[in-house]
Amino acid sequence: FDSQSVQSLDEFEQQAAHYNMACAHAQLGNVPESIAALETAFQAGFDNFATVRGDPDLDPIKADPDYERLMEQYEPKRGFNPFGLFGK
């Protein structure tokens, strides 16, 4: 064991860490921090939007307009949109 070695998180672990921080902040009532952590999770590649929408840990932030804007920004549009027109 080398005590000088640096441990780094892989992509999935980074996504999970930021997602879990978003959940923790939401439960503590820290809405802006929760939304920021969720955005960082999305930026790291987290894309399980059904989990986000269904997770009761995130319920405290779901009424916030910034949450819905964030979801609209990252979540693929539902419905038929073959060329990406009128989206984003």
Side-chain angles (χ1 to χ4, degrees):
F1 178 74
D2 180 3
S3 63
Q4 298 300 313
S5 68
V6 175
Q7 297 293 318
S8 63
L9 300 178
D10 67 24
E11 183 178 348
F12 174 78
E13 290 169 329
Q14 286 185 1
Q15 295 168 14
H18 290 290
Y19 180 81
N20 288 329
M21 287 191 296
C23 292
H25 278 300
Q27 288 297 300
L28 291 170
N30 302 331
V31 174
E33 294 87 346
S34 176
I35 292 171
L38 189 57
E39 182 169 22
T40 302
F42 290 156
Q43 290 170 345
F46 186 86
D47 62 357
N48 193 337
F49 303 107
T51 293
V52 173
R53 291 210 180 265
D55 193 333
D57 287 343
L58 294 172
D59 284 353
I61 70 169
K62 291 178 182 172
D64 191 287
D66 288 336
Y67 165 81
E68 198 52 49
R69 276 193 288 275
L70 181 68
M71 294 302 290
E72 288 175 9
Q73 180 181 350
Y74 284 93
E75 187 175 27
K77 300 294 182 215
R78 297 181 186 125
F80 183 69
N81 192 2
F83 306 109
L85 300 175
F86 313 116
K88 301 194 189 230

